[in-house]
Amino acid sequence: MDGQVVILDGGLATELEAAGIKIQGDPLWSARLLHTNPQAIKDAHQRFLSSGADVLTTATYQASVDGFMKHLGMTSEEAIQLMMSGVQIARDAVQDFKTRTSDNKVPLVAGSVGPYGAFLYDGSEYTGTYEETMSGEEFKAWHRPQVQCLVSAGADLIAMETIPSLKEAEALVELLREFPNTKAWLSFSCKVIYTVNDGEVSLFQILMFNAQEAFLKASRA
């Protein structure tokens, strides 16, 4: 899709709640439905596709191997399989869409990776305050199982979403180098237009960070 306008899907949790599913107050957010109601997720994906989405985002923003083990009582292997199921559900929705339409487009599946604070379930994904207690290597170690699951399950790309600090973003970009054939996008969450949520990084610094990454990518090409 290089050079093309791409339409992303909408807010999955918002769409699920509009369908009458209770999500508020759950530490796993919409990710719990991977276990309890995967059909509801698939139905939401299909509604987004019918509305013109070119990319589906998996229901894994608030998911993690540790989180599934903690809140669902799963083994590590069960949690890994559940994490990977988010990609398969989205792929099944794409396949069903292709059988129902004459449209030649093939929507992509983006494996959603939320910030570490989403696992903490204390609101810190909106502030990034936890970065003070985490090193870059610790961030990489935390995110690695989720990224590995999504890549192994066949996601077309990784969506690193609403990251509240540059330190965590840098760790995610470094982690992505362990998956050289994987594409990704990264989005920040900002409390004001020029500052990300942790309050430490300006938009200018983020742009410089992106420019450095683009230069490194071009140098390796």
Side-chain angles (χ1 to χ4, degrees), residues 9 12 26 56 59 63 72 76 87-89 93 114 116 124 126 135 153 167 172 179 191 210 217:
D9 57 1
L12 182 58
D26 193 317
L56 290 180
L72 297 177
S76 175
V87 175
Q88 188 58 53
I89 292 168
Y116 174 67
S124 59
Y126 302 113
S135 68
K167 181 194 286 187
L172 279 163
F179 306 89
K191 61 180 181 181
N210 290 341
K217 182 178 180 181

Side-chain angles (χ1 to χ4, degrees), residues 40-171:
I41 296 173
K42 183 179 178 181
D43 291 345
H45 285 325
Q46 290 177 329
R47 289 194 292 274
F48 285 135
L49 291 173
S50 296
S51 297
D54 297 312
V55 180
L56 290 180
T57 308
T58 60
T60 52
Y61 175 88
Q62 200 128 346
S64 65
V65 173
D66 284 355
F68 286 151
M69 293 171 66
K70 177 180 179 181
H71 298 294
L72 297 177
M74 292 184 161
T75 65
S76 175
E77 183 56 35
E78 289 171 337
I80 288 170
Q81 292 302 313
L82 187 61
M83 187 83 187
M84 295 175 69
S85 75
V87 175
Q88 188 58 53
I89 292 168
R91 287 219 169 279
D92 289 346
V94 169
Q95 188 58 44
D96 287 356
F97 172 77
K98 289 169 61 179
T99 63
R100 291 185 289 104
T101 180
S102 58
D103 196 327
N104 291 325
K105 76 175 183 179
V106 180
L108 301 179
V109 173
S112 177
V113 174
Y116 174 67
F119 164 74
L120 298 177
Y121 188 55
D122 59 1
S124 59
E125 71 267 34
Y126 302 113
T127 64
T129 53
Y130 55 84
E131 73 142 14
E132 299 172 0
T133 64
M134 299 277 287
S135 68
E137 288 302 313
E138 287 173 323
F139 275 131
K140 287 167 64 177
W142 162 256
H143 285 293
R144 186 175 288 112
Q146 285 72 253
V147 174
Q148 180 67 69
C149 285
L150 296 169
V151 171
S152 296
D156 295 302
L157 67 158
I158 300 299
M160 301 175 287
E161 301 191 275
T162 65
I163 306 304
S165 73
L166 186 60
K167 181 194 286 187
E168 187 170 9
E170 288 175 326

Side-chain angles (χ1 to χ4, degrees), residues 7 11 96 176 201:
I7 301 174
D96 287 356
L176 195 63
V201 183

